[in-house]
């Protein structure tokens, strides 16, 4: 029977310019699960604008990892 782990990571967009401020955090989550024997399966994202003082949009990434045999 397949085994899965589902995690969410919030990517914070830069206030000025393009790209995410915390891609290293996303990379760390993926590598941590890979070290445990999981592979990244599907990824879904949802975006929301920030109304906070620091600004920048947020992208909520839902990561599904599948246990490798």
């Amino acid at each position: 029977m397949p085994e899965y782990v589902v995690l969410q990571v919030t990517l914070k967009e830069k206030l000025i310019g393009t790209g995410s401020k915390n891609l290293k955090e996303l990379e760390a989550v993926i590598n941590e699960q890979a070290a445990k024997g999981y592979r990244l399966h599907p990824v879904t994202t949802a975006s929301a604008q920030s109304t906070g003082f620091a600004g920048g949009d947020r992208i909520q990434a839902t990561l599904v990892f599948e246990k490798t045999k």
Side-chain angles (χ1 to χ4, degrees):
M1 181 165 193
E3 185 178 333
Y4 298 93
V5 171
V6 179
L7 300 171
Q8 288 188 322
V9 177
T10 301
L11 301 173
K12 300 170 188 115
E13 296 296 308
K14 293 179 182 176
L15 182 59
I16 299 173
T18 59
S20 177
K21 294 191 300 188
N22 60 332
L23 283 177
K24 290 291 184 187
E25 178 186 341
L26 177 62
E27 183 179 3
V29 168
I30 293 169
N31 285 330
E32 180 181 334
Q33 293 305 311
K36 294 177 182 178
Y38 289 85
R39 70 178 178 93
L40 184 60
H41 204 267
V43 176
T44 60
T45 60
S47 63
Q49 292 183 332
S50 173
T51 58
F53 175 73
D57 290 342
R58 305 285 189 260
I59 297 173
Q60 187 73 36
T62 302
L63 311 170
V64 177
F65 295 90
E66 181 179 26
K67 184 78 170 178
T68 57
K69 307 241 187 238

